[in-house]
Amino acid sequence: VVEDAQHQLEEKTQEIMDSITYAKRIQSAILPPDKVVKEYLQESFILYKPKDIVAGDFYWMESVKSKVLFAAADCTGHGVPGAMVSVVCNNALNRSVREHGLTDPGEILNKTREIVIQEFEKSDEEVKDGMDIALCTLEGNKLQYAGAHNPLWIIRNGEIKETKADKQPVSKYFKPEPYTTHTFELEKGDSIYVFSD
């Protein structure tokens, strides 16, 4: 009897692990491939270390004409719930850019918030899920940034210049304000960092 229970437990555990491992493949499909990232941002690196097999964190990239848009995002929840929210938020970012033609980071976050709220309002239960994000648009030496809780770091001559994010998530919020777009002229040798917590 004990051996049977042990065997059933092992089978169930294996089924769950197989399911989560497959979910990781699906989540990986929404991440931009390394070769595409390197095509647009030659001197870049990505450090992506999910705590669980799947994650609420994701990185995102899109190119529109001469602009490269990129972001680091952190969705509510960890593991499987976080990963499910990340798919909704990633889709909302894509729609903001592809369907609505937006490239200004603040405007993208405004529209993304609207889409995320619409998606979750379809539920009978109140869902307040969403994401924190640092989002940039790069065109030549011109960098634009908007953030929800997650800042931008520009390292110039060995000094960190931090631009703080708006203190509101991309989700339902009691007093939503439009997101702020910050604009910078980059100098030779500058390094840009965006990250989740």
Side-chain angles (χ1 to χ4, degrees):
V1 176
V2 173
E3 277 185 23
D4 272 359
Q6 178 76 25
H7 182 69
Q8 284 179 339
L9 184 62
E10 284 172 5
E11 274 187 354
K12 277 284 165 220
T13 303
Q14 191 56 52
E15 279 177 30
I16 291 166
M17 288 309 294
D18 289 348
S19 181
I20 292 170
T21 303
Y22 192 76
K24 178 187 172 137
R25 285 177 55 192
I26 295 167
Q27 190 177 35
S28 296
I30 70 170
L31 299 173
D34 288 347
K35 66 174 195 240
V36 173
V37 173
K38 288 291 184 192
E39 183 184 337
Y40 292 102
L41 301 169
Q42 290 85 11
E43 294 182 51
S44 64
F45 74 92
I46 296 166
L47 180 64
Y48 183 62
K49 291 181 166 273
K51 186 171 78 70
D52 301 303
I53 296 168
V54 287
D57 289 24
F58 69 95
Y59 52 95
W60 174 88
M61 195 177 103
E62 187 77 20
S63 68
V64 180
K65 296 180 182 144
S66 59
K67 297 178 179 180
V68 181
L69 292 71
F70 59 93
D74 176 10
C75 295
T76 46
H78 294 286
V80 174
M84 292 178 79
V85 176
S86 79
V87 172
V88 171
C89 291
N90 183 290
N91 181 52
L93 279 169
N94 288 337
R95 286 183 57 197
S96 297
V97 174
R98 295 172 189 170
E99 287 177 29
H100 299 279
L102 302 174
T103 58
D104 176 279
E107 290 176 14
I108 293 170
L109 293 189
N110 292 336
K111 180 53 76 177
T112 298
R113 172 171 56 196
E114 197 181 296
I115 294 167
V116 167
I117 291 169
Q118 278 171 3
E119 288 301 310
F120 286 130
E121 274 180 348
K122 293 174 185 171
S123 170
D124 289 338
E125 297 169 36
E126 188 179 23
V127 181
K128 290 182 178 167
D129 287 305
M131 67 179 161
D132 295 342
I133 188 169
L135 171 64
C136 294
T137 297
L138 182 63
E139 184 177 26
N141 288 338
K142 181 182 168 188
L143 177 75
Q144 291 187 299
Y145 153 81
H149 289 295
N150 292 356
L152 165 74
W153 287 0
I154 297 175
I155 311 230
R156 181 173 290 163
N157 303 322
E159 277 183 50
I160 298 176
K161 296 179 179 299
E162 181 179 60
T163 304
K164 292 197 183 309
D166 291 312
K167 290 195 180 307
Q168 56 182 351
V170 178
S171 64
K172 205 164 198 173
Y173 189 63
F174 71 101
K175 268 194 351 198
E177 297 279 337
Y179 293 94
T180 312
T181 297
H182 304 267
T183 304
F184 309 90
E185 278 299 322
L186 295 177
E187 296 177 8
K188 195 170 170 56
D190 285 355
S191 297
I192 305 160
Y193 289 85
V194 291
F195 44 86
S196 68
D197 63 356

